[in-house]
């Protein structure tokens, strides 16, 4: 049974792999064909400018209306045709006028019929009786390009040509491809078909073989060119081979599996029973570890709380003795000593703030109040009352927009808002009144709140670091480096997310989300 299943599945997967191979190859060929057609359109679209310009010149010569206006007329035509570098009049086989003349002086008086290669192309243009391009060729004035000629007749007698010159650089710009004839996806080539049916030298000088693999070619009659486009790194075989190998592997595995199911059902049941026993043991171990972790977290929180309280007493003694020292010996200490006392007191105060922040950080996640209706606008008003001295001292303006009433925990939400508003007040630009805007938007499963300011802003490299414990973007502006870490822990413990968008020197916007319809299962978040 196992062998039969293996052979059946193997045949099926290899048939599918072969179809994938053909479909992927056809798809990549279609992409290449579209690129070739698009490139042809680009080329013909740019050369249409040449048709208009040369026909205008030919008409003026045929009707004897050109007189001495060749330069002015050509200047006007070139200004309207960005993909033309120069216009010429050829009387018989001799070039008599070129515009612009600067850089093209060598063309005046040149007889194109003296060169056998040019002569064949000239005859082809006469035979066609319409614009026909020669090239790519080396131009006599220097450089490489293509030359298009329209035959002119006066009174039924051949007079000469109106001609257009398009340099290599202009043609590349019109085609909008790399000068090397390659990009990440395709290899390009432009080949001239001579009157004898043979191919001339390719336009792009690269070593890529273009007439093999996944490639497509189109003909451009206006210059008797062939455009070839080849996919640089075809991938059609990758999916097919991958599927084929996976099919072989899957067939083998399922063949073995079917044999296993057919001959060893008792072993399978025993294995299920053993795995069930292992799973039950793992579940009991996991429950034990969860209880141990809960107990450990409780002990760590208690330790941080006690340590924070115990550390405050020495700081109070240090601050008290420094105050007494300054008060008692104020008249006996020089300015440097008083400065040192000030530094020591300031350090003690900062240490106290750090300890208090550590205490708060250790208590984040311990929820003591119940789920209730929270008016977030009222919460902002309470924050403004708590920060009244800072707001008035800095002449700050608080804008409130679209704040809802939500079902949430009041105290954590108030702590989040106060930390963010306090942060906006602290990091404001000098001599600029802070403008703080607090708003919200509602989504299906959560509310999104934002606190934006016009302060110093934050560079992108600090977007993640500012939420790390003790990280300060600018230590000279004060703070313990814990406010945003506490805020992040509060938001994430409540099931939300917090992030920042900012521009240095413009301001910052902190966003945080609050889940809707949160039903607490216990009081330890």
């Amino acid at each position: 049974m196992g062998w039969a299943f293996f052979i059946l599945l193997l045949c099926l997967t290899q048939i599918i792999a072969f179809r994938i191979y053909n479909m992927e190859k056809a798809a990549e060929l279609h992409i290449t064909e579209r690129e070739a057609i698009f490139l042809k359109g680009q080329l013909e679209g740019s050369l249409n400018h040449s048709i208009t310009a040369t026909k205008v010149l030919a008409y003026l010569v045929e009707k004897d209306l050109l007189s001495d206006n060749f330069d002015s007329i050509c200047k006007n035509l070139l200004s309207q045709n960005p993909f033309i570098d120069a216009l010429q009049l050829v009387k018989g086989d001799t070039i008599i006028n070129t515009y612009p003349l600067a850089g093209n002086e060598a063309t005046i008086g040149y007889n194109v019929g003296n060169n056998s290669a040019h002569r064949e192309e000239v005859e082809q243009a006469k035979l066609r009786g319409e614009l026909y391009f020669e090239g790519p060729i080396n131009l006599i004035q220097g450089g490489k390009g293509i030359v298009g000629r329209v035959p002119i007749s006066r009174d039924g007698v051949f007079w000469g040509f109106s001609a257009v010159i398009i340099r290599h650089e202009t043609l590349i710009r019109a085609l909008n491809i790399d000068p090397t004839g390659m990009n990440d996806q395709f290899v390009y080539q432009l080949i001239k078909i001579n009157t004898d049916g043979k191919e001339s030298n390719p336009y792009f000088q690269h070593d890529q073989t273009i007439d093999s693999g996944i490639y497509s070619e189109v003909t451009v009659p206006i210059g008797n060119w062939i455009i070839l486009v080849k996919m640089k790194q075809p991938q059609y075989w990758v999916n097919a081979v991958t599927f084929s190998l996976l099919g072989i592997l899957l067939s083998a595995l399922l063949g073995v599996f079917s044999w296993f199911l057919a001959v060893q059902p008792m072993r399978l049941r025993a294995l299920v029973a053993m795995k069930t026993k292992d799973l039950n043991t793992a579940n009991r171990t996991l429950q034990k570890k969860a209880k141990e972790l809960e107990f450990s977290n409780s002990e760590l929180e208690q330790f941080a709380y006690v340590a924070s309280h115990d550390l405050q007493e020495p700081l109070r003694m240090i601050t008290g003795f420094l105050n007494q020292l300054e008060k008692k010996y104020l008249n006996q200490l020089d300015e440097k000593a008083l400065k040192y006392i000030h530094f020591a007191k300031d350090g003690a105060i900062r240490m106290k703030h750090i300890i208090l922040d550590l205490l708060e950080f250790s208590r984040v996640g311990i929820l003591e109040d119940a789920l209730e209706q929270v008016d977030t606008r009222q919460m902002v008003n309470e924050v403004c009352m708590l920060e009244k001295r800072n707001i008035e001292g800095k002449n700050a303006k608080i804008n409130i927009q679209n704040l809802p009433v939500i079902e949430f925990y009041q105290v954590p939400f108030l702590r989040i808002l106060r930390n963010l508003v306090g942060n906006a007040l602290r990091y404001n630009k000098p001599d600029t009144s802070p403008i703080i805007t607090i708003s919200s938007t509602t989504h299906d499963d959560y509310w999104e709140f934002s606190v934006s300011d016009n302060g110093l802003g934050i560079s992108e490299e600090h977007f993640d670091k500012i939420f790390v414990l003790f990280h300060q973007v600018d230590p000279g502006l004060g703070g313990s480096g814990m406010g945003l870490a506490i805020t992040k822990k509060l938001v994430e413990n409540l099931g939300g997310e917090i992030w920042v968008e900012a521009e240095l020197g413009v301001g910052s916007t902190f966003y945080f989300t609050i889940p809707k319809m949160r039903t607490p299962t216990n009081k330890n978040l």
Side-chain angles (χ1 to χ4, degrees):
M1 179 179 176
W3 278 106
F5 191 76
F6 167 74
I7 294 172
L8 177 63
L9 192 57
L10 180 63
C11 293
L12 179 62
T13 55
Q14 298 314 299
I15 291 172
I16 295 174
F18 182 70
R19 295 198 62 179
I20 291 174
Y21 174 87
N22 289 331
M23 290 172 62
E24 294 283 341
K25 185 175 182 180
E28 290 192 351
L29 183 60
H30 180 64
I31 292 171
T32 308
E33 289 173 348
R34 284 195 305 172
E35 181 68 14
I37 292 170
F38 174 77
L39 196 62
K40 176 183 177 181
Q42 289 278 96
L43 179 58
E44 291 181 335
S46 64
L47 296 181
N48 283 337
H49 297 288
S50 304
I51 296 174
T52 303
T54 51
K55 281 188 175 181
V56 168
L57 278 181
Y59 177 81
L60 293 175
V61 172
E62 288 172 358
K63 302 301 181 180
D64 197 19
L65 299 174
L66 190 61
S67 64
D68 296 328
N69 299 318
F70 175 78
D71 285 355
S72 61
I73 291 173
C74 288
K75 181 179 180 181
N76 184 47
L77 289 172
L78 289 183
S79 68
Q80 301 175 33
N81 298 284
F83 298 118
I84 299 177
D85 291 300
L87 290 168
Q88 291 180 336
L89 277 181
V90 183
K91 189 173 183 180
D93 290 336
T94 303
I95 300 173
I96 62 172
N97 290 101
T98 300
Y99 182 87
L101 186 58
N104 296 301
E105 295 87 347
T107 63
I108 302 300
Y110 180 74
N111 190 309
V112 296
N114 290 340
N115 183 296
S116 60
H118 293 327
R119 191 181 309 114
E120 290 180 4
E121 296 296 306
V122 166
E123 293 301 322
Q124 185 68 19
K126 289 180 183 180
L127 182 64
R128 292 192 176 208
E130 59 184 5
L131 181 64
Y132 179 71
F133 278 89
E134 176 186 4
I137 60 173
N138 293 320
L139 302 173
I140 60 172
Q141 62 269 46
K144 187 178 179 182
I146 58 176
V147 178
R149 302 182 183 92
V150 170
I152 302 173
S153 298
R154 296 182 67 172
D155 300 326
V157 178
F158 173 73
W159 182 88
F161 299 95
S162 63
V164 60
I165 299 173
I166 302 176
R167 289 185 174 274
H168 168 75
E169 297 79 10
T170 304
L171 186 62
I172 290 298
R173 180 162 52 88
L175 293 175
N176 195 25
I177 60 177
D178 192 271
T180 62
M182 294 186 291
N183 59 26
D184 293 340
Q185 191 174 7
F186 298 107
V187 179
Y188 304 95
Q189 191 54 270
L190 181 67
I191 298 176
K192 177 79 171 183
I193 304 299
N194 297 324
T195 54
D196 58 3
K198 295 181 179 180
E199 297 180 357
S200 64
N201 293 331
Y203 192 69
F204 296 107
Q205 303 302 314
H206 52 63
D207 57 358
Q208 296 288 325
T209 302
I210 204 164
D211 56 352
S212 62
I214 300 297
Y215 76 98
S216 180
E217 65 178 60
V218 292
T219 302
V220 185
I222 197 170
N224 209 21
W225 293 306
I226 293 178
I227 293 177
L228 293 109
V229 178
K230 177 181 178 180
M231 186 160 286
K232 197 171 185 180
Q233 295 178 332
Q235 301 291 312
Y236 63 90
W237 58 272
V238 174
N239 291 336
V241 171
T242 301
F243 188 87
S244 176
L245 294 176
L246 288 176
I248 295 172
L249 180 61
L250 180 64
S251 300
L253 290 175
L254 290 180
V256 172
F257 185 68
S258 62
W259 170 81
F260 181 81
L261 290 178
V263 301
Q264 299 192 24
M266 295 297 295
R267 184 178 177 184
L268 180 61
R269 285 194 292 269
L271 182 62
V272 170
M274 183 180 68
K275 293 298 181 182
T276 302
K277 182 179 178 181
D278 291 343
L279 182 60
N280 291 333
T281 302
N283 286 336
R284 287 192 295 270
T285 303
L286 184 61
Q287 291 174 359
K288 181 180 178 182
K289 294 295 182 183
K291 289 181 180 180
E292 291 175 355
L293 182 60
E294 183 178 356
F295 180 73
S296 176
N297 286 340
S298 177
E299 285 188 329
L300 285 174
E301 290 171 0
Q302 185 65 26
F303 172 76
Y305 182 78
V306 172
S308 298
H309 276 75
D310 290 347
L311 285 173
Q312 290 183 66
E313 183 58 30
L315 281 177
R316 282 194 291 268
M317 291 179 64
I318 291 171
T319 305
F321 279 118
L322 286 172
N323 286 332
Q324 290 297 322
L325 182 63
E326 182 181 22
K327 181 177 179 181
K328 186 172 182 179
Y329 297 101
L330 179 62
N331 297 326
Q332 301 176 36
L333 297 173
D334 59 12
E335 183 179 350
K336 183 177 290 187
L338 291 174
K339 187 177 181 180
Y340 289 160
I341 291 175
H342 171 74
F343 286 158
K345 288 168 63 179
D346 185 63
I349 291 171
R350 288 201 306 270
M351 179 60 75
K352 180 180 179 181
H353 288 162
I354 291 174
I355 291 171
L356 291 175
D357 285 343
L358 275 171
L359 177 60
E360 182 177 0
F361 188 80
S362 71
R363 291 182 59 81
V364 169
I366 301 176
L367 188 64
E368 296 177 347
D369 53 350
L371 195 68
E372 59 183 302
Q373 294 292 313
V374 177
D375 187 341
T376 56
R377 179 179 290 269
Q378 182 61 34
M379 291 295 97
V380 174
N381 292 334
E382 289 190 28
V383 170
C384 292
M385 289 297 296
L386 294 170
E387 297 288 343
K388 183 177 181 181
R389 179 179 297 178
N390 277 339
I391 292 172
E392 293 178 351
K394 296 190 175 185
N395 195 27
K397 181 179 180 182
I398 310 295
N399 296 323
I400 302 175
Q401 300 175 355
N402 302 325
L403 294 184
V405 175
I406 63 175
E407 188 175 2
F408 207 61
Y409 303 98
Q410 180 171 311
V411 174
F413 188 84
L414 182 63
R415 290 161 73 184
I416 293 168
L417 275 183
R418 186 176 183 186
N419 283 352
L420 295 178
V421 172
N423 206 58
L425 290 170
R426 177 179 295 111
Y427 297 103
N428 70 300
K429 289 183 281 191
D431 303 322
T432 301
S433 297
I435 300 175
I436 303 171
T437 302
I438 305 170
S439 62
S440 73
T441 55
T442 183
H443 299 270
D444 291 340
D445 300 321
Y446 61 91
W447 288 280
E448 179 180 297
F449 292 87
S450 66
V451 179
S452 62
D453 61 64
N454 62 337
L456 296 173
I458 306 167
S459 61
E460 189 173 352
E461 62 184 283
H462 291 286
F463 280 6
D464 294 327
K465 296 177 183 177
I466 58 174
F467 295 105
V468 177
L469 206 60
F470 297 120
H471 179 79
Q472 292 177 289
V473 176
D474 188 349
L477 294 176
S480 63
M482 296 186 62
L484 289 177
I486 292 171
T487 305
K488 178 180 174 66
K489 188 175 180 182
L490 279 168
V491 171
E492 291 182 347
N493 282 350
L494 291 166
E497 297 179 354
I498 185 169
W499 68 95
V500 65
E501 294 178 3
E503 184 176 350
L504 198 61
V506 177
S508 307
T509 301
F510 285 85
Y511 296 91
F512 66 95
T513 61
I514 296 295
K516 291 183 178 180
M517 297 180 294
R518 180 179 175 86
T519 302
T521 56
N522 56 59
K523 290 197 175 185
N524 190 346
L525 295 177

